[in-house]
Amino acid sequence: MDATRVCLLALDLFSSPGWSANEEIRRLYALSNSTAKHYRPIILSKRDGGERQILAPDYLLKTVQRNILKNVLAQFPVSPYATAYRPGSTVAHNARPHLSQPQILKLDIEGFFDNISWLQVWRVFRQTTLPNAVVTMLTHLCCYRDALPQGAATSPAISNLVMQSFDERMGRWCQERHIAYTRYCDDMTFSGEFSARLVRIKVAALLAESGFRLNKRKTVQIPAHKQQTVTGIVVNEKLQLSREQRRLLRQEVHFCRKFGVVSHLSRSGHPTESALRYLQRLQGKIAWLLQINPDDCAFRQALRDVQQMIRQIALPETR
């Protein structure tokens, strides 16, 4: 058995379905040659009213991609400046370096996933010791029509690895100038005392070397006397959700306590929503706030109250 077949079988990309070696290899080649047929487009609404397309892989391709992620991509080190798509990391980790800074500059990469090419993905896998034929097949299995699909299980990790050189070079440049820098997917954040114009020029130049460009419409500069947010978290004095977000959460919990969950949903124009599902979503919002600010006593009590409501509703359903 040649090295290519041995490597492919060792990666166990189909999660041991019980096929013979020849059958597994045949199916891998067939899948890698027709990946476009295994995606389903999903249109999602954006906050600004626009739409974006997610390409969802079917069960077979998703299984293979998850095994590529676990058995190949997880072995690569990721730049400390990349805070998205890594175990244990949240948007709070992205926000914390920018706490209490005189100014914040937020920049966005235009068409991030769509502009990561087949060749860039191939170069990521080429860093392994795998045979070239395996590298090429893995690249095909992770791409959609010669680009990185947003929606594939492997795309987030690959995007971090494609951006690793940019992150390291940008990070060193910022460190020399005492500028804090983090990147969360396509969102780059800079904070400290600096010329925003010079930072934009440097970022644009380094991005261009990797085939990317800035989305100039999403450039945001925030001085210290205004509310500074980084990936949805206020960072002026301490990590916190915005005052309006906290107010709305307090209001939801108050109405649930005062009127009962079902009555509150009816009053708020959502009479058909499941009370249990609503409370579970509310619990998630409060847990997220406490993850950012765990010392908030009022919301710790609110979380206990919501959990008690969930138990009261869920208990009869289990009888």
Side-chain angles (χ1 to χ4, degrees):
M1 190 177 293
D2 63 34
T4 297
R5 289 166 60 86
V6 169
C7 285
L8 287 174
L9 293 171
L11 291 175
D12 193 22
L13 298 181
F14 285 122
S15 297
S16 302
W19 299 325
S20 68
N22 286 339
E23 179 66 8
E24 187 164 342
I25 294 297
R26 186 188 70 78
R27 291 181 182 243
L28 273 174
Y29 274 104
L31 182 61
S32 68
N33 288 329
S34 61
T35 52
K37 297 178 182 178
H38 293 265
Y39 284 99
R40 177 172 58 92
I42 299 174
I43 304 300
L44 299 180
S45 299
K46 298 169 70 173
R47 291 182 180 179
D48 60 7
E51 295 181 338
R52 63 171 173 159
Q53 177 177 273
I54 297 292
L55 291 164
D58 63 15
Y59 177 80
L60 183 66
L61 182 56
K62 184 187 294 186
T63 298
V64 169
Q65 289 174 342
R66 284 176 173 171
N67 285 319
I68 293 172
L69 179 63
K70 180 178 70 174
N71 299 333
V72 181
L73 296 171
Q75 317 307 317
F76 286 90
V78 178
S79 168
Y81 300 106
T83 57
Y85 313 133
R86 53 193 309 163
S89 184
T90 68
V91 291
H93 291 89
N94 186 64
R96 189 166 287 113
H98 308 288
L99 189 63
S100 302
Q101 294 282 6
Q103 70 170 327
I104 283 176
L105 176 67
K106 297 193 285 188
L107 302 176
D108 181 85
I109 304 171
E110 189 168 354
F112 183 52
F113 284 97
D114 291 341
N115 285 311
I116 295 178
S117 68
W118 189 96
L119 181 58
Q120 287 173 303
V121 178
W122 183 87
R123 285 171 176 161
V124 166
F125 287 114
R126 189 67 186 87
Q127 297 173 52
T128 67
T129 57
L130 296 169
N132 282 342
V134 176
V135 167
T136 299
M137 177 179 284
L138 294 178
T139 305
H140 281 302
L141 290 168
C142 295
C143 287
Y144 175 83
R145 294 179 179 169
D146 296 333
L148 196 64
Q150 189 171 0
T154 44
S155 292
I158 290 172
S159 71
N160 274 345
L161 297 172
V162 167
M163 292 294 292
Q164 188 163 32
S165 175
F166 170 87
D167 286 333
E168 294 300 326
R169 293 171 69 190
M170 194 73 245
R172 285 195 299 271
W173 187 88
C174 288
Q175 200 170 39
E176 291 168 0
R177 292 157 180 79
H178 307 289
I179 302 170
Y181 162 65
T182 60
R183 181 182 59 80
Y184 195 90
C185 186
D186 54 356
D187 295 323
M188 297 169 288
T189 305
F190 304 84
S191 62
E193 289 278 8
F194 55 84
S195 163
R197 176 177 171 274
L198 290 179
V199 171
R200 287 197 302 270
I201 291 172
K202 183 64 177 180
V203 171
L206 289 181
L207 284 178
E209 292 181 22
S210 299
F212 299 102
R213 61 177 179 269
L214 278 176
N215 186 342
K216 295 180 181 179
R217 294 177 290 106
K218 291 189 176 181
T219 297
V220 179
Q221 187 175 357
I222 315 171
H225 66 272
K226 292 189 176 181
Q227 180 174 276
Q228 296 174 324
T229 60
V230 176
T231 44
I233 300 174
V234 179
V235 295
N236 291 74
E237 297 177 1
K238 64 178 181 179
L239 297 190
Q240 185 63 282
L241 293 186
S242 71
R243 184 177 301 174
E244 178 64 9
Q245 287 174 297
R246 297 198 307 275
R247 183 190 70 79
L248 290 173
L249 268 180
R250 280 194 298 268
Q251 180 176 282
E252 286 192 76
V253 175
H254 171 71
F255 286 155
C256 286
R257 290 166 175 156
K258 184 175 181 179
F259 303 115
V261 182
V262 175
S263 179
H264 165 54
L265 288 173
S266 180
R267 286 166 174 265
S268 61
H270 303 284
T272 61
E273 183 171 7
S274 161
L276 180 58
R277 190 175 300 113
Y278 167 77
L279 285 172
Q280 288 170 336
R281 286 197 298 106
L282 185 57
Q283 176 184 238
K285 293 178 185 177
I286 298 171
W288 167 233
L289 181 148
L290 290 171
Q291 185 177 345
I292 298 168
N293 185 11
D295 298 325
D296 195 315
C297 296
F299 275 105
R300 277 170 29 201
Q301 181 59 52
L303 181 62
R304 288 192 289 269
D305 291 346
V306 170
Q307 289 171 336
Q308 177 62 27
M309 294 179 209
I310 288 174
R311 285 192 291 271
Q312 290 171 348
I313 290 176
L315 187 59
E317 294 183 3
T318 61
R319 289 176 180 171

